[in-house]
Amino acid sequence: MDDGPGQRGLNEVSEHLQILRRVGWTLVVIGLLDIGFMIYCIVNGLSYSSSLNIFAVVAGIFLLRGSLSAARLVCWFSAFMLSGFVLGILFVLPWMWPLDYWQFTLRQAPVGSFLAIVLITAMLVAFFWVYRTLRAPPVLAARAAAGQSIGVPKSAFAAGGALAIAMAGLLQFTLKGETAEKAMRLAAEQHGAEYRYVVSSIDWAGQHVSARLTAYNQQESREVEVEWEDLE
């Protein structure tokens, strides 16, 4: 016996709420794990930064309450992060640092490198899953009924791509420009030409310039710093 229109509508409502709750619980768990790891890093003096933690918990709570506005926002943010991460990983990072530097990093810290790759992969999979799940037909139908636009969030993908391009431009200016080349020349003069150098950061204080670099060869790596006055 076929369900009537009222029962089918009830089933659709129930299904979209189930989807929102499934994504909501996932985000809450991810956010709490991220907060716990952040606290661990702070206590142990480790460097760590993330854009998930509190945002994931709050967004998850709203989704658990069945908020379609939260569903729209989380879907947009997931598309934004996917676009930015993928472009950054595929084009920005390989372009900014030489291949032998990545090979050296893998040799020197295989466990840490492996964990970083696993973490990044897990984040990409999570963003993709959230995006696809919140684009499920029952959720889109509920959003359309609430008067929301349900088209593909092109602005999110465009914004993520623009962020990756902006980061590439910023890194090009700071870490691969004329100042970075001068920092590498000074480092080679002061610390030896048997190393290759990668600029980690550059700071300006008026005409005073200081740069931190990673010096590496086949046997070792170390952090070095050079300073000079830019009188030009």
Side-chain angles (χ1 to χ4, degrees), residues 17 22 25 47 61 67 92 96 102 113 116 126 135-136 154 179 211:
L17 288 176
R22 185 160 64 246
W25 279 118
S47 176
I61 291 173
S67 171
V92 178
M96 292 308 303
W102 295 111
S113 299
R135 294 286 300 171
K154 297 178 181 178
T179 303

Side-chain angles (χ1 to χ4, degrees), residues 31-194:
L32 291 177
L33 288 174
D34 196 36
I35 291 172
F37 186 63
M38 180 182 66
I39 294 173
Y40 171 83
C41 290
I42 293 174
V43 170
N44 290 274
L46 303 175
S47 176
Y48 179 73
S49 62
S50 172
S51 58
L52 295 177
N53 42 60
I54 299 298
F55 171 81
V57 173
V58 173
I61 291 173
F62 276 100
L63 289 176
L64 288 172
R65 298 175 61 182
S67 171
L68 292 172
S69 295
R72 178 178 59 85
L73 178 61
V74 172
C75 186
W76 192 97
F77 182 78
S78 298
F80 169 78
M81 294 298 288
L82 269 175
S83 177
F85 262 97
V86 170
L87 286 177
I89 293 170
L90 292 181
F91 299 106
V92 178
L93 292 182
W95 171 57
M96 292 308 303
W97 288 278
L99 178 61
D100 63 348
Y101 174 75
W102 295 111
Q103 293 172 337
F104 172 80
T105 301
L106 288 172
R107 288 196 308 270
Q108 290 295 105
V111 175
S113 299
F114 174 76
L115 291 176
I117 292 172
V118 169
L119 178 61
I120 292 173
T121 302
M123 289 179 62
L124 287 174
V125 170
F127 284 129
F128 180 75
W129 178 83
V130 168
Y131 175 78
R132 286 294 301 273
T133 304
L134 292 180
R135 294 286 300 171
V139 178
L140 293 181
R143 286 179 52 192
Q148 294 184 8
S149 171
I150 60 172
V152 174
K154 297 178 181 178
S155 62
F157 289 109
L163 176 63
I165 293 172
M167 288 298 298
L170 178 62
L171 291 174
Q172 171 67 29
F173 174 74
T174 56
L175 303 184
K176 293 194 71 175
E178 293 182 2
T179 303
E181 292 178 0
K182 182 171 183 178
M184 288 187 283
R185 287 198 304 270
L186 290 175
E189 294 172 2
Q190 298 175 16
H191 301 280
E194 68 272 16

